[in-house]
Amino acid sequence: SHLLQTEPGSLAANHDASTDGSLRTLLTLCDLLNRELLVLIGWAKQIPGFSDLSLVDQMSLLQSGWMEALLVGVAWRSQSAAGEELVFAGNLHLSEAQCRAAGLADVYEAVRHLTVRYQGMKLRLEEAVTLKALALANSDTDPVDCPDALQRFRDGLHEALQDYELSRREQHRTGRLLMSLPLLRQTADRTVQNLLWLQRQRRIPLHKLLLEMLDAKA
Amino acid sequence: KEKHKILHQLLQNST
């Protein structure tokens, strides 16, 4: 219930006015990602146990897991979209053709695959917010500064997911959700690689925070 | 930390 209360909800896209066509789509998406990152960092601080981590571990988790956490939101919003579109924001639905034109073919394929998986299990909001926190907590940090605090953070979230599924007598869904984490990581990696490639190829101007977070992945 | 200045600053802000 704490995660539900602190869930920021989705931002609206600011359609870039400096250009048009596929570059406009890309710039709009990157602006949205940058603002989502700002919200994500504020949100992370409210997850129970996150503030007990050392600053070094907080940074490592965010640098490693930010895209996974953001993509849970995209997959969640895209579950009920018409025409197999990806819903990056309420006012930014992208079809396969639009993604392809913007150089995001790989992002489309990967995120669509992830969306289908969650569609298949009819992901619920409670599960989506917990999964988002779990993805962040589970991201790989090496070396870990304070292993005990990190373990407590992970255990707390795992327990919350188990308690939720137990309360609905659907314990089997805990395993199903955890088993989706490898696909989530793979999807995030492909998305990051696609963006890094685009940044090099098209030399798109990126906002500082997004650039910093992509650099941590490069 | 120098390289990841913005993230560092955002995490240190209390709000």
Side-chain angles (χ1 to χ4, degrees):
Chain A
S1 59
H2 183 84
L3 289 174
L4 282 174
Q5 276 168 21
T6 52
E7 172 58 29
S10 62
L11 298 175
N14 296 329
H15 290 283
D16 191 278
S18 65
T19 180
D20 55 11
S22 62
L23 185 59
R24 182 181 179 181
T25 306
L26 193 55
L27 292 179
T28 302
L29 183 64
C30 287
D31 169 74
L32 177 70
L33 275 176
N34 191 68
R35 284 183 292 122
E36 282 202 298
L37 266 170
L38 275 170
V39 173
L40 184 82
I41 294 164
W43 163 83
K45 292 199 273 191
Q46 300 182 62
I47 309 173
F50 187 82
S51 299
D52 300 333
L53 304 172
S54 72
L55 184 59
V56 173
D57 286 342
Q58 292 182 15
M59 287 182 71
S60 302
L61 287 183
L62 279 162
Q63 280 167 349
S64 162
W66 62 277
M67 184 58 93
E68 287 181 58
L70 291 185
L71 287 181
V72 171
V74 180
W76 161 256
R77 291 192 290 274
S78 305
Q79 268 194 127
S80 47
E84 303 189 349
E85 289 182 332
L86 296 184
V87 182
F88 290 96
N91 60 348
L92 187 65
H93 292 223
L94 296 181
S95 65
E96 183 176 6
Q98 285 171 310
C99 285
R100 193 171 295 281
L104 296 164
D106 231 34
V107 172
Y108 180 84
E109 193 188 316
V111 180
R112 177 71 197 145
H113 184 170
L114 182 72
T115 302
V116 169
R117 176 128 175 193
Y118 289 138
Q119 242 169 4
M121 62 181 291
K122 297 188 171 66
L123 186 69
R124 289 192 289 262
L125 181 62
E126 291 86 344
E127 293 170 327
V129 296
T130 313
L131 198 62
K132 191 169 126 182
L134 264 172
L136 185 69
N138 189 51
S139 65
D140 269 316
T141 57
D142 182 41
V144 178
D145 191 32
C146 299
D148 291 347
L150 180 57
Q151 194 58 58
R152 278 194 299 274
F153 182 46
R154 288 175 175 164
D155 288 347
L157 290 167
H158 182 210
E159 206 175 306
L161 181 61
Q162 281 180 311
D163 284 352
Y164 170 72
E165 301 295 4
L166 191 64
S167 74
R168 298 185 56 101
R169 299 182 187 280
E170 293 188 294
Q171 293 98 311
H172 59 281
R173 290 180 68 90
T174 306
R176 282 194 205 169
L177 286 164
L178 295 178
M179 280 189 270
S180 75
L181 289 176
L183 179 64
L184 177 60
R185 178 153 311 169
Q186 186 183 314
T187 307
D189 284 345
R190 283 181 71 184
T191 302
V192 164
Q193 289 310 316
N194 196 157
L195 291 177
L196 284 169
W197 178 81
L198 274 171
Q199 187 212 343
R200 290 184 195 122
Q201 285 287 341
R202 301 185 68 170
R203 298 172 193 271
I204 45 169
L206 292 180
H207 296 273
K208 281 183 183 165
L209 178 60
L210 179 58
L211 197 58
E212 186 178 295
M213 298 303 268
L214 280 172
D215 270 349
K217 291 279 196 182
Chain B
K1 273 178 193 169
E2 191 52 38
K3 207 178 156 195
H4 306 292
K5 241 163 58 182
I6 307 176
L7 176 62
H8 189 245
Q9 278 170 5
L10 288 169
L11 283 171
Q12 280 197 317
N13 287 347
S14 55
T15 49

